[in-house]
Amino acid sequence: MIRRIGFPCVMSSLPLSTNHNFRLASLSSEKLASTVERNLEEMETILEWMSDHGMKLFRIGSSLVPFASHPAMEYDWPEMAASRLAKIGRRYSQRGFRFSLHPGQYNVLNSENPNVVKNTVAELLYSCQVLDLMGLDSSHKVVLHGGCRCGDMAQSKTRLIEEILKLPKNVRSRLVLENDERIFSAVDIVEVCESSGLPAVFDIYHNKFLPSPDLPGLLKRLQKTWQENDGRPKLHLSSQKPGGRDGAHGDMVLEEDLRELCETVPFDFDLMVEAKLKEKAILEVVKFAKDAQCILGQS
DNA sequence: GCCGGTCAAGGTCTT
DNA sequence: AAGACCTTGACCGGC
């Protein structure tokens, strides 16, 4: 059953985004402060809209604080954002909201280039710090893909596990890994998670392109990667863009994909819907889910 | 205003 | 070998 449901970063029907940014060349204290302020302002408006519409799962844009983890960042961004983040975190966690961030595909924790690993760790630290400043517990997660295929898959997984175990404890307590569509399948991710103590996010759409055998058995293992402090398991749902490249996210979600998800997953979960039309797609998903009787009240 | 080019970044896939 | 593409689109300069 679906419990919380939500969407990432921006709205589609209103000009609201937590991802406003600027060019690195125009990075300055003033530019940073005004952009962060704008992202936080619009985040509150989005959260208020979600609250009114029964959605309680939100992915904060990685550009909430543009260039926060970039080597060129020389400003005290936590100082600029702390009080407002704390206020937002307090208000919406009281209402049962759950938050996350999802560093982009340039973050490769198992890269063979040490500098890339270093930058990735910096981005993870920043992502965690946002959630820390909001005063949120470790059920509020930072989502990352497995990374690159460096050598064979066994090596890739070993490298990933080694890097995970080197992370600071507070980062490990928030980090979750998600299966992707070409390198780390769901079974790869579950194996890495079992070895490193992280929870695994299941993306059913990626799984179509890089499927794992024995999905029911795998989901049972996946559920067990979520410990008490991690909160409820999280899943991702999206549909193929009609006529688009394999793997491209569609504007909306197909009813059959929602039904398949609900029939496949035997436990309660929070659902992030990754559709281009964001909240518009979710309003329809909720309707489908009510018809299929696979959504419960959110808390 | 709007449109097209561009953007911080790594790796994979296609041509 | 070089370019397109992804992701969370959004900015920015030129018309």
Side-chain angles (χ1 to χ4, degrees):
Chain A
M1 290 285 231
I2 301 168
R3 300 295 294 269
R4 294 187 189 85
I5 194 165
F7 58 89
C9 308
V10 306
M11 290 188 70
S12 66
S13 60
L14 296 169
L16 297 171
S17 170
T18 60
N19 256 344
H20 294 290
N21 61 16
F22 47 81
R23 302 293 161 85
L24 181 57
S26 48
L27 176 58
S28 69
S29 180
E30 295 73 27
K31 187 78 179 170
L32 182 67
S34 64
T35 305
V36 169
E37 187 63 24
R38 184 177 177 198
N39 282 331
L40 290 170
E41 175 75 32
E42 294 187 16
M43 177 156 86
E44 278 203 74
T45 311
I46 293 172
L47 293 172
E48 208 47 39
W49 187 96
M50 293 181 75
S51 198
D52 288 344
H53 291 79
M55 302 177 193
K56 294 187 178 179
L57 187 67
F58 186 65
R59 181 190 300 167
I60 299 167
S62 284
S63 295
L64 184 79
V65 183
F67 305 107
S69 72
H70 195 279
M73 174 55 66
E74 53 179 327
Y75 308 106
D76 188 358
W77 68 263
E79 171 67 23
M80 294 175 182
S83 67
R84 191 140 191 200
L85 280 174
K87 190 185 119 197
I88 294 172
R90 203 162 45 239
R91 172 176 299 170
Y92 293 95
S93 61
Q94 271 174 7
R95 296 191 198 173
F97 271 72
R98 190 181 192 191
F99 293 91
S100 63
L101 287 95
H102 190 351
Q105 75 274 33
Y106 300 109
N107 295 282
V108 183
L109 194 54
N110 67 347
S111 172
E112 292 177 294
N113 179 340
N115 209 41
V116 172
V117 177
K118 190 169 140 236
N119 292 342
T120 302
V121 172
E123 181 73 8
L124 293 177
L125 284 167
Y126 149 68
S127 304
C128 289
Q129 197 170 356
V130 169
L131 297 171
D132 289 346
L133 288 168
M134 292 174 78
L136 302 171
D137 66 33
S138 61
S139 68
H140 303 260
K141 295 299 189 186
V142 174
V143 183
L144 194 68
H145 288 293
C148 64
R149 184 190 290 114
C150 31
D152 59 21
M153 271 319 286
Q155 280 178 289
S156 308
K157 286 190 266 192
T158 303
R159 292 185 60 84
L160 180 56
I161 292 165
E162 285 170 1
E163 292 302 332
I164 290 167
L165 295 178
K166 281 191 231 164
L167 291 170
K169 207 173 167 193
N170 68 314
V171 174
R172 279 213 310 272
S173 73
R174 288 205 190 276
L175 188 59
V176 300
L177 299 180
E178 177 194 349
N179 61 306
D180 64 75
E181 64 191 52
R182 20 163 83 86
I183 300 168
F184 279 81
S185 70
V187 64
D188 292 327
I189 287 294
V190 166
E191 283 176 18
V192 171
C193 286
E194 286 172 343
S195 298
S196 59
L198 301 187
V201 166
F202 180 62
D203 186 311
I204 192 169
Y205 182 53
H206 292 156
N207 187 68
K208 285 186 200 299
F209 299 98
L210 189 59
S212 291
D214 182 25
L215 200 47
L218 182 66
L219 287 173
K220 233 175 239 175
R221 286 168 64 189
L222 182 138
Q223 184 188 11
K224 289 206 188 89
T225 63
W226 292 80
Q227 313 285 327
E228 187 70 30
N229 290 341
D230 296 317
R232 191 180 291 134
K234 295 177 57 160
L235 277 77
H236 291 176
L237 174 67
S238 48
S239 289
Q240 170 76 34
K241 177 177 181 172
R245 169 198 68 89
D246 274 6
H249 287 167
D251 286 345
M252 302 290 277
V253 169
L254 299 177
E255 180 163 16
E256 62 193 74
D257 290 334
L258 181 273
R259 284 185 180 263
E260 183 192 347
L261 178 81
C262 291
E263 283 160 18
T264 307
V265 182
F267 48 82
D268 284 4
F269 55 94
D270 288 349
L271 183 64
M272 181 63 67
V273 178
E274 299 178 317
K276 292 289 175 202
L277 290 185
K278 312 290 178 190
E279 78 283 358
K280 187 170 174 238
I282 296 195
L283 290 169
E284 195 176 73
V285 166
V286 168
K287 190 166 77 63
F288 294 155
K290 283 180 177 166
D291 289 348
Q293 300 190 328
C294 66
I295 187 163
L296 282 176
Q298 302 181 55
S299 63

